[in-house]
Amino acid sequence: MNEENLRRIQAITEAALLAAGKPLNLDQLRELFDEHERPARQVMEHVMCQLAAACEGRGFELKKVASGYRLQVREEYAPWVGRLFEERPQRYSRALLETLALIAYRQPITRGEIEEIRGVTVSSNIVRTLLEREWVRVVGHRDVPGRPAMYATTRQFLDYFNLTGLDQLPPLSEVRDLEEIGREIEKNMQAEIEFEAGGPAPEPDDVAGDDAGDADSADHQTLH
């Protein structure tokens, strides 16, 4: 394939990623082309490398996450881009962060098992928020009396935190306790809040109380 065709495929790919507003994988990008002109996967992989290189030195980058590729604003420009957003998103509670961390590291896990580890009841608001955000999903039911639902994380969870897989989470052996896991997740989350609001991340003491975890924050800012 000549350079002119490669440049055309790259331009179409860039336009699609700008318009999509969500990650697109290689197969989805290939489906944009008619069958007779559809590029091979190897060609698309080469195009993605070229597109990533073309983003160097610019205000946005090509990022690979669990669901595919997306174009997004570089994190270092968050203080300026964040000024476009007037409203500051609500914060997540420590209880929600700890619950999310337990699901991420111990999945599949039931609500009762989470409560046993945390030592407190898990608010229905927390579970509902995580399900509505599509960060967790029900993957089955434990074969015990009552058949409680088992929860696991989703691709949307990975996408939100710029991860391609759970193996990119900090190794559990390097994390001393549940609170430290919560801080690690909160650090990523507050970077998102700072990005969207253009202000400094709140101190841990400012996070909503124990089980008030039904607040939403904004997604990664993508170019679309």
PDB file of all heavy atoms in Angstrom, residues 100-132:
ATOM      1  N   LEU A 100     -15.350  -0.080  45.267  1.00  0.00           N
ATOM      2  CA  LEU A 100     -14.848  -0.272  43.906  1.00  0.00           C
ATOM      3  C   LEU A 100     -13.499  -0.994  43.917  1.00  0.00           C
ATOM      4  O   LEU A 100     -13.243  -1.884  43.093  1.00  0.00           O
ATOM      5  CB  LEU A 100     -14.733   1.079  43.213  1.00  0.00           C
ATOM      6  CG  LEU A 100     -14.223   1.074  41.762  1.00  0.00           C
ATOM      7  CD1 LEU A 100     -15.117   0.220  40.880  1.00  0.00           C
ATOM      8  CD2 LEU A 100     -14.141   2.499  41.234  1.00  0.00           C
ATOM      9  N   ALA A 101     -12.637  -0.612  44.855  1.00  0.00           N
ATOM     10  CA  ALA A 101     -11.330  -1.254  44.954  1.00  0.00           C
ATOM     11  C   ALA A 101     -11.469  -2.741  45.268  1.00  0.00           C
ATOM     12  O   ALA A 101     -10.770  -3.580  44.680  1.00  0.00           O
ATOM     13  CB  ALA A 101     -10.492  -0.563  46.038  1.00  0.00           C
ATOM     14  N   LEU A 102     -12.370  -3.085  46.191  1.00  0.00           N
ATOM     15  CA  LEU A 102     -12.567  -4.497  46.536  1.00  0.00           C
ATOM     16  C   LEU A 102     -13.080  -5.291  45.349  1.00  0.00           C
ATOM     17  O   LEU A 102     -12.652  -6.427  45.111  1.00  0.00           O
ATOM     18  CB  LEU A 102     -13.544  -4.607  47.711  1.00  0.00           C
ATOM     19  CG  LEU A 102     -12.939  -4.349  49.093  1.00  0.00           C
ATOM     20  CD1 LEU A 102     -14.032  -4.248  50.136  1.00  0.00           C
ATOM     21  CD2 LEU A 102     -11.957  -5.453  49.461  1.00  0.00           C
ATOM     22  N   ILE A 103     -13.992  -4.710  44.581  1.00  0.00           N
ATOM     23  CA  ILE A 103     -14.503  -5.405  43.397  1.00  0.00           C
ATOM     24  C   ILE A 103     -13.382  -5.591  42.386  1.00  0.00           C
ATOM     25  O   ILE A 103     -13.237  -6.669  41.787  1.00  0.00           O
ATOM     26  CB  ILE A 103     -15.685  -4.629  42.783  1.00  0.00           C
ATOM     27  CG1 ILE A 103     -16.871  -4.619  43.749  1.00  0.00           C
ATOM     28  CG2 ILE A 103     -16.094  -5.250  41.443  1.00  0.00           C
ATOM     29  CD1 ILE A 103     -18.027  -3.734  43.315  1.00  0.00           C
ATOM     30  N   ALA A 104     -12.561  -4.561  42.206  1.00  0.00           N
ATOM     31  CA  ALA A 104     -11.482  -4.639  41.217  1.00  0.00           C
ATOM     32  C   ALA A 104     -10.474  -5.723  41.579  1.00  0.00           C
ATOM     33  O   ALA A 104     -10.010  -6.462  40.704  1.00  0.00           O
ATOM     34  CB  ALA A 104     -10.791  -3.274  41.097  1.00  0.00           C
ATOM     35  N   TYR A 105     -10.136  -5.828  42.868  1.00  0.00           N
ATOM     36  CA  TYR A 105      -9.071  -6.750  43.278  1.00  0.00           C
ATOM     37  C   TYR A 105      -9.566  -8.138  43.662  1.00  0.00           C
ATOM     38  O   TYR A 105      -8.806  -9.100  43.594  1.00  0.00           O
ATOM     39  CB  TYR A 105      -8.293  -6.159  44.454  1.00  0.00           C
ATOM     40  CG  TYR A 105      -7.266  -5.133  44.038  1.00  0.00           C
ATOM     41  CD1 TYR A 105      -7.573  -3.780  44.047  1.00  0.00           C
ATOM     42  CD2 TYR A 105      -5.986  -5.511  43.642  1.00  0.00           C
ATOM     43  CE1 TYR A 105      -6.639  -2.827  43.671  1.00  0.00           C
ATOM     44  CE2 TYR A 105      -5.044  -4.576  43.258  1.00  0.00           C
ATOM     45  CZ  TYR A 105      -5.372  -3.228  43.276  1.00  0.00           C
ATOM     46  OH  TYR A 105      -4.449  -2.300  42.901  1.00  0.00           O
ATOM     47  N   ARG A 106     -10.827  -8.252  44.083  1.00  0.00           N
ATOM     48  CA  ARG A 106     -11.320  -9.544  44.577  1.00  0.00           C
ATOM     49  C   ARG A 106     -12.401 -10.152  43.687  1.00  0.00           C
ATOM     50  O   ARG A 106     -13.033 -11.123  44.073  1.00  0.00           O
ATOM     51  CB  ARG A 106     -11.886  -9.369  45.992  1.00  0.00           C
ATOM     52  CG  ARG A 106     -10.877  -8.833  47.012  1.00  0.00           C
ATOM     53  CD  ARG A 106      -9.866  -9.887  47.408  1.00  0.00           C
ATOM     54  NE  ARG A 106      -8.965  -9.405  48.438  1.00  0.00           N
ATOM     55  CZ  ARG A 106      -9.174  -9.510  49.742  1.00  0.00           C
ATOM     56  NH1 ARG A 106     -10.299 -10.068  50.181  1.00  0.00           N
ATOM     57  NH2 ARG A 106      -8.302  -9.056  50.620  1.00  0.00           N
ATOM     58  N   GLN A 107     -12.643  -9.597  42.518  1.00  0.00           N
ATOM     59  CA  GLN A 107     -13.744 -10.054  41.669  1.00  0.00           C
ATOM     60  C   GLN A 107     -13.577 -11.506  41.242  1.00  0.00           C
ATOM     61  O   GLN A 107     -12.440 -11.962  41.045  1.00  0.00           O
ATOM     62  CB  GLN A 107     -13.870  -9.149  40.449  1.00  0.00           C
ATOM     63  CG  GLN A 107     -12.620  -9.041  39.571  1.00  0.00           C
ATOM     64  CD  GLN A 107     -12.811  -8.027  38.483  1.00  0.00           C
ATOM     65  OE1 GLN A 107     -13.698  -8.131  37.649  1.00  0.00           O
ATOM     66  NE2 GLN A 107     -11.961  -6.996  38.483  1.00  0.00           N
ATOM     67  N   PRO A 108     -14.722 -12.234  41.117  1.00  0.00           N
ATOM     68  CA  PRO A 108     -16.077 -11.790  41.443  1.00  0.00           C
ATOM     69  C   PRO A 108     -16.310 -11.826  42.949  1.00  0.00           C
ATOM     70  O   PRO A 108     -15.809 -12.712  43.641  1.00  0.00           O
ATOM     71  CB  PRO A 108     -16.956 -12.806  40.722  1.00  0.00           C
ATOM     72  CG  PRO A 108     -16.145 -14.061  40.697  1.00  0.00           C
ATOM     73  CD  PRO A 108     -14.702 -13.608  40.568  1.00  0.00           C
ATOM     74  N   ILE A 109     -17.072 -10.853  43.434  1.00  0.00           N
ATOM     75  CA  ILE A 109     -17.285 -10.721  44.869  1.00  0.00           C
ATOM     76  C   ILE A 109     -18.731 -10.292  45.130  1.00  0.00           C
ATOM     77  O   ILE A 109     -19.319  -9.574  44.319  1.00  0.00           O
ATOM     78  CB  ILE A 109     -16.299  -9.688  45.465  1.00  0.00           C
ATOM     79  CG1 ILE A 109     -16.356  -9.683  46.995  1.00  0.00           C
ATOM     80  CG2 ILE A 109     -16.537  -8.296  44.896  1.00  0.00           C
ATOM     81  CD1 ILE A 109     -15.249  -8.843  47.633  1.00  0.00           C
ATOM     82  N   THR A 110     -19.294 -10.771  46.222  1.00  0.00           N
ATOM     83  CA  THR A 110     -20.679 -10.423  46.547  1.00  0.00           C
ATOM     84  C   THR A 110     -20.710  -9.224  47.489  1.00  0.00           C
ATOM     85  O   THR A 110     -19.706  -8.867  48.123  1.00  0.00           O
ATOM     86  CB  THR A 110     -21.407 -11.590  47.227  1.00  0.00           C
ATOM     87  OG1 THR A 110     -20.814 -11.821  48.518  1.00  0.00           O
ATOM     88  CG2 THR A 110     -21.322 -12.864  46.388  1.00  0.00           C
ATOM     89  N   ARG A 111     -21.878  -8.630  47.600  1.00  0.00           N
ATOM     90  CA  ARG A 111     -22.059  -7.492  48.507  1.00  0.00           C
ATOM     91  C   ARG A 111     -21.776  -7.907  49.948  1.00  0.00           C
ATOM     92  O   ARG A 111     -21.146  -7.156  50.707  1.00  0.00           O
ATOM     93  CB  ARG A 111     -23.480  -6.955  48.361  1.00  0.00           C
ATOM     94  CG  ARG A 111     -23.805  -5.745  49.214  1.00  0.00           C
ATOM     95  CD  ARG A 111     -25.161  -5.188  48.811  1.00  0.00           C
ATOM     96  NE  ARG A 111     -25.624  -4.156  49.717  1.00  0.00           N
ATOM     97  CZ  ARG A 111     -26.734  -3.446  49.519  1.00  0.00           C
ATOM     98  NH1 ARG A 111     -27.464  -3.651  48.442  1.00  0.00           N
ATOM     99  NH2 ARG A 111     -27.092  -2.516  50.394  1.00  0.00           N
ATOM    100  N   GLY A 112     -22.225  -9.098  50.330  1.00  0.00           N
ATOM    101  CA  GLY A 112     -21.977  -9.584  51.677  1.00  0.00           C
ATOM    102  C   GLY A 112     -20.495  -9.744  51.973  1.00  0.00           C
ATOM    103  O   GLY A 112     -20.030  -9.449  53.081  1.00  0.00           O
ATOM    104  N   GLU A 113     -19.729 -10.219  50.984  1.00  0.00           N
ATOM    105  CA  GLU A 113     -18.290 -10.385  51.169  1.00  0.00           C
ATOM    106  C   GLU A 113     -17.600  -9.026  51.308  1.00  0.00           C
ATOM    107  O   GLU A 113     -16.647  -8.884  52.088  1.00  0.00           O
ATOM    108  CB  GLU A 113     -17.715 -11.173  49.995  1.00  0.00           C
ATOM    109  CG  GLU A 113     -18.142 -12.638  49.996  1.00  0.00           C
ATOM    110  CD  GLU A 113     -17.855 -13.342  48.683  1.00  0.00           C
ATOM    111  OE1 GLU A 113     -17.713 -12.659  47.643  1.00  0.00           O
ATOM    112  OE2 GLU A 113     -17.794 -14.587  48.689  1.00  0.00           O
ATOM    113  N   ILE A 114     -18.094  -8.033  50.551  1.00  0.00           N
ATOM    114  CA  ILE A 114     -17.553  -6.672  50.677  1.00  0.00           C
ATOM    115  C   ILE A 114     -17.820  -6.139  52.081  1.00  0.00           C
ATOM    116  O   ILE A 114     -16.932  -5.551  52.717  1.00  0.00           O
ATOM    117  CB  ILE A 114     -18.173  -5.742  49.617  1.00  0.00           C
ATOM    118  CG1 ILE A 114     -17.756  -6.186  48.204  1.00  0.00           C
ATOM    119  CG2 ILE A 114     -17.761  -4.281  49.858  1.00  0.00           C
ATOM    120  CD1 ILE A 114     -18.489  -5.454  47.087  1.00  0.00           C
ATOM    121  N   GLU A 115     -19.034  -6.360  52.569  1.00  0.00           N
ATOM    122  CA  GLU A 115     -19.397  -5.881  53.903  1.00  0.00           C
ATOM    123  C   GLU A 115     -18.565  -6.565  54.975  1.00  0.00           C
ATOM    124  O   GLU A 115     -18.170  -5.948  55.974  1.00  0.00           O
ATOM    125  CB  GLU A 115     -20.892  -6.113  54.146  1.00  0.00           C
ATOM    126  CG  GLU A 115     -21.785  -5.235  53.263  1.00  0.00           C
ATOM    127  CD  GLU A 115     -23.259  -5.546  53.408  1.00  0.00           C
ATOM    128  OE1 GLU A 115     -23.582  -6.653  53.891  1.00  0.00           O
ATOM    129  OE2 GLU A 115     -24.075  -4.682  53.048  1.00  0.00           O
ATOM    130  N   GLU A 116     -18.284  -7.852  54.786  1.00  0.00           N
ATOM    131  CA  GLU A 116     -17.481  -8.584  55.760  1.00  0.00           C
ATOM    132  C   GLU A 116     -16.073  -8.022  55.840  1.00  0.00           C
ATOM    133  O   GLU A 116     -15.488  -7.896  56.924  1.00  0.00           O
ATOM    134  CB  GLU A 116     -17.436 -10.070  55.381  1.00  0.00           C
ATOM    135  CG  GLU A 116     -16.690 -10.940  56.382  1.00  0.00           C
ATOM    136  CD  GLU A 116     -16.733 -12.408  56.011  1.00  0.00           C
ATOM    137  OE1 GLU A 116     -17.487 -12.769  55.094  1.00  0.00           O
ATOM    138  OE2 GLU A 116     -15.995 -13.189  56.648  1.00  0.00           O
ATOM    139  N   ILE A 117     -15.501  -7.655  54.691  1.00  0.00           N
ATOM    140  CA  ILE A 117     -14.140  -7.115  54.669  1.00  0.00           C
ATOM    141  C   ILE A 117     -14.103  -5.694  55.224  1.00  0.00           C
ATOM    142  O   ILE A 117     -13.249  -5.348  56.034  1.00  0.00           O
ATOM    143  CB  ILE A 117     -13.581  -7.133  53.231  1.00  0.00           C
ATOM    144  CG1 ILE A 117     -13.437  -8.582  52.738  1.00  0.00           C
ATOM    145  CG2 ILE A 117     -12.223  -6.423  53.175  1.00  0.00           C
ATOM    146  CD1 ILE A 117     -13.099  -8.702  51.268  1.00  0.00           C
ATOM    147  N   ARG A 118     -15.073  -4.871  54.817  1.00  0.00           N
ATOM    148  CA  ARG A 118     -15.094  -3.471  55.249  1.00  0.00           C
ATOM    149  C   ARG A 118     -15.587  -3.319  56.680  1.00  0.00           C
ATOM    150  O   ARG A 118     -15.272  -2.346  57.352  1.00  0.00           O
ATOM    151  CB  ARG A 118     -15.984  -2.631  54.323  1.00  0.00           C
ATOM    152  CG  ARG A 118     -15.430  -2.421  52.929  1.00  0.00           C
ATOM    153  CD  ARG A 118     -16.234  -1.364  52.169  1.00  0.00           C
ATOM    154  NE  ARG A 118     -16.122  -0.068  52.836  1.00  0.00           N
ATOM    155  CZ  ARG A 118     -17.158   0.705  53.141  1.00  0.00           C
ATOM    156  NH1 ARG A 118     -18.394   0.310  52.855  1.00  0.00           N
ATOM    157  NH2 ARG A 118     -16.981   1.873  53.732  1.00  0.00           N
ATOM    158  N   GLY A 119     -16.398  -4.264  57.136  1.00  0.00           N
ATOM    159  CA  GLY A 119     -16.905  -4.193  58.490  1.00  0.00           C
ATOM    160  C   GLY A 119     -18.105  -3.289  58.662  1.00  0.00           C
ATOM    161  O   GLY A 119     -18.540  -3.040  59.783  1.00  0.00           O
ATOM    162  N   VAL A 120     -18.647  -2.792  57.554  1.00  0.00           N
ATOM    163  CA  VAL A 120     -19.842  -1.938  57.594  1.00  0.00           C
ATOM    164  C   VAL A 120     -20.758  -2.326  56.439  1.00  0.00           C
ATOM    165  O   VAL A 120     -20.336  -2.961  55.469  1.00  0.00           O
ATOM    166  CB  VAL A 120     -19.487  -0.436  57.488  1.00  0.00           C
ATOM    167  CG1 VAL A 120     -18.698   0.030  58.691  1.00  0.00           C
ATOM    168  CG2 VAL A 120     -18.723  -0.146  56.195  1.00  0.00           C
ATOM    169  N   THR A 121     -22.012  -1.919  56.544  1.00  0.00           N
ATOM    170  CA  THR A 121     -22.980  -2.198  55.487  1.00  0.00           C
ATOM    171  C   THR A 121     -22.665  -1.380  54.244  1.00  0.00           C
ATOM    172  O   THR A 121     -22.299  -0.204  54.337  1.00  0.00           O
ATOM    173  CB  THR A 121     -24.404  -1.862  55.972  1.00  0.00           C
ATOM    174  OG1 THR A 121     -24.699  -2.648  57.123  1.00  0.00           O
ATOM    175  CG2 THR A 121     -25.437  -2.135  54.876  1.00  0.00           C
ATOM    176  N   VAL A 122     -22.801  -1.999  53.084  1.00  0.00           N
ATOM    177  CA  VAL A 122     -22.615  -1.293  51.818  1.00  0.00           C
ATOM    178  C   VAL A 122     -23.941  -0.659  51.416  1.00  0.00           C
ATOM    179  O   VAL A 122     -24.949  -1.352  51.250  1.00  0.00           O
ATOM    180  CB  VAL A 122     -22.129  -2.242  50.704  1.00  0.00           C
ATOM    181  CG1 VAL A 122     -22.065  -1.519  49.366  1.00  0.00           C
ATOM    182  CG2 VAL A 122     -20.764  -2.817  51.060  1.00  0.00           C
ATOM    183  N   SER A 123     -23.951   0.644  51.272  1.00  0.00           N
ATOM    184  CA  SER A 123     -25.162   1.357  50.898  1.00  0.00           C
ATOM    185  C   SER A 123     -25.657   0.923  49.527  1.00  0.00           C
ATOM    186  O   SER A 123     -24.873   0.687  48.606  1.00  0.00           O
ATOM    187  CB  SER A 123     -24.889   2.864  50.889  1.00  0.00           C
ATOM    188  OG  SER A 123     -25.915   3.575  50.239  1.00  0.00           O
ATOM    189  N   SER A 124     -26.995   0.826  49.402  1.00  0.00           N
ATOM    190  CA  SER A 124     -27.583   0.515  48.088  1.00  0.00           C
ATOM    191  C   SER A 124     -27.242   1.590  47.067  1.00  0.00           C
ATOM    192  O   SER A 124     -27.141   1.314  45.867  1.00  0.00           O
ATOM    193  CB  SER A 124     -29.107   0.375  48.217  1.00  0.00           C
ATOM    194  OG  SER A 124     -29.441  -0.706  49.064  1.00  0.00           O
ATOM    195  N   ASN A 125     -27.063   2.841  47.540  1.00  0.00           N
ATOM    196  CA  ASN A 125     -26.691   3.932  46.638  1.00  0.00           C
ATOM    197  C   ASN A 125     -25.343   3.678  45.971  1.00  0.00           C
ATOM    198  O   ASN A 125     -25.138   4.010  44.805  1.00  0.00           O
ATOM    199  CB  ASN A 125     -26.635   5.260  47.394  1.00  0.00           C
ATOM    200  CG  ASN A 125     -28.010   5.777  47.753  1.00  0.00           C
ATOM    201  OD1 ASN A 125     -28.997   5.401  47.138  1.00  0.00           O
ATOM    202  ND2 ASN A 125     -28.079   6.637  48.756  1.00  0.00           N
ATOM    203  N   ILE A 126     -24.414   3.091  46.730  1.00  0.00           N
ATOM    204  CA  ILE A 126     -23.087   2.804  46.187  1.00  0.00           C
ATOM    205  C   ILE A 126     -23.191   1.782  45.068  1.00  0.00           C
ATOM    206  O   ILE A 126     -22.638   1.970  43.983  1.00  0.00           O
ATOM    207  CB  ILE A 126     -22.150   2.295  47.298  1.00  0.00           C
ATOM    208  CG1 ILE A 126     -21.785   3.446  48.228  1.00  0.00           C
ATOM    209  CG2 ILE A 126     -20.891   1.674  46.704  1.00  0.00           C
ATOM    210  CD1 ILE A 126     -20.896   3.038  49.384  1.00  0.00           C
ATOM    211  N   VAL A 127     -23.884   0.689  45.338  1.00  0.00           N
ATOM    212  CA  VAL A 127     -24.030  -0.356  44.322  1.00  0.00           C
ATOM    213  C   VAL A 127     -24.741   0.203  43.092  1.00  0.00           C
ATOM    214  O   VAL A 127     -24.332  -0.050  41.951  1.00  0.00           O
ATOM    215  CB  VAL A 127     -24.800  -1.565  44.896  1.00  0.00           C
ATOM    216  CG1 VAL A 127     -25.022  -2.620  43.816  1.00  0.00           C
ATOM    217  CG2 VAL A 127     -24.048  -2.165  46.082  1.00  0.00           C
ATOM    218  N   ARG A 128     -25.807   0.976  43.324  1.00  0.00           N
ATOM    219  CA  ARG A 128     -26.541   1.552  42.195  1.00  0.00           C
ATOM    220  C   ARG A 128     -25.673   2.491  41.370  1.00  0.00           C
ATOM    221  O   ARG A 128     -25.696   2.464  40.133  1.00  0.00           O
ATOM    222  CB  ARG A 128     -27.782   2.294  42.701  1.00  0.00           C
ATOM    223  CG  ARG A 128     -28.653   2.837  41.556  1.00  0.00           C
ATOM    224  CD  ARG A 128     -29.927   3.480  42.058  1.00  0.00           C
ATOM    225  NE  ARG A 128     -29.659   4.707  42.800  1.00  0.00           N
ATOM    226  CZ  ARG A 128     -29.841   4.839  44.093  1.00  0.00           C
ATOM    227  NH1 ARG A 128     -30.275   3.809  44.814  1.00  0.00           N
ATOM    228  NH2 ARG A 128     -29.586   5.982  44.706  1.00  0.00           N
ATOM    229  N   THR A 129     -24.873   3.315  42.046  1.00  0.00           N
ATOM    230  CA  THR A 129     -23.994   4.247  41.337  1.00  0.00           C
ATOM    231  C   THR A 129     -22.988   3.509  40.472  1.00  0.00           C
ATOM    232  O   THR A 129     -22.768   3.848  39.302  1.00  0.00           O
ATOM    233  CB  THR A 129     -23.240   5.151  42.341  1.00  0.00           C
ATOM    234  OG1 THR A 129     -24.194   5.947  43.051  1.00  0.00           O
ATOM    235  CG2 THR A 129     -22.272   6.074  41.618  1.00  0.00           C
ATOM    236  N   LEU A 130     -22.364   2.480  41.027  1.00  0.00           N
ATOM    237  CA  LEU A 130     -21.366   1.716  40.273  1.00  0.00           C
ATOM    238  C   LEU A 130     -21.992   1.013  39.074  1.00  0.00           C
ATOM    239  O   LEU A 130     -21.376   0.920  37.995  1.00  0.00           O
ATOM    240  CB  LEU A 130     -20.681   0.702  41.186  1.00  0.00           C
ATOM    241  CG  LEU A 130     -19.818   1.302  42.307  1.00  0.00           C
ATOM    242  CD1 LEU A 130     -19.296   0.198  43.219  1.00  0.00           C
ATOM    243  CD2 LEU A 130     -18.661   2.103  41.722  1.00  0.00           C
ATOM    244  N   LEU A 131     -23.216   0.515  39.241  1.00  0.00           N
ATOM    245  CA  LEU A 131     -23.914  -0.139  38.131  1.00  0.00           C
ATOM    246  C   LEU A 131     -24.324   0.887  37.075  1.00  0.00           C
ATOM    247  O   LEU A 131     -24.187   0.641  35.875  1.00  0.00           O
ATOM    248  CB  LEU A 131     -25.140  -0.894  38.647  1.00  0.00           C
ATOM    249  CG  LEU A 131     -24.864  -2.149  39.471  1.00  0.00           C
ATOM    250  CD1 LEU A 131     -26.151  -2.655  40.122  1.00  0.00           C
ATOM    251  CD2 LEU A 131     -24.248  -3.247  38.605  1.00  0.00           C
ATOM    252  N   GLU A 132     -24.833   2.039  37.522  1.00  0.00           N
ATOM    253  CA  GLU A 132     -25.269   3.064  36.577  1.00  0.00           C
ATOM    254  C   GLU A 132     -24.098   3.640  35.802  1.00  0.00           C
ATOM    255  O   GLU A 132     -24.235   3.971  34.614  1.00  0.00           O
ATOM    256  CB  GLU A 132     -26.003   4.180  37.323  1.00  0.00           C
ATOM    257  CG  GLU A 132     -27.385   3.779  37.835  1.00  0.00           C
ATOM    258  CD  GLU A 132     -28.057   4.874  38.628  1.00  0.00           C
ATOM    259  OE1 GLU A 132     -27.384   5.881  38.953  1.00  0.00           O
ATOM    260  OE2 GLU A 132     -29.267   4.732  38.929  1.00  0.00           O
TER     261      GLU A 132
END
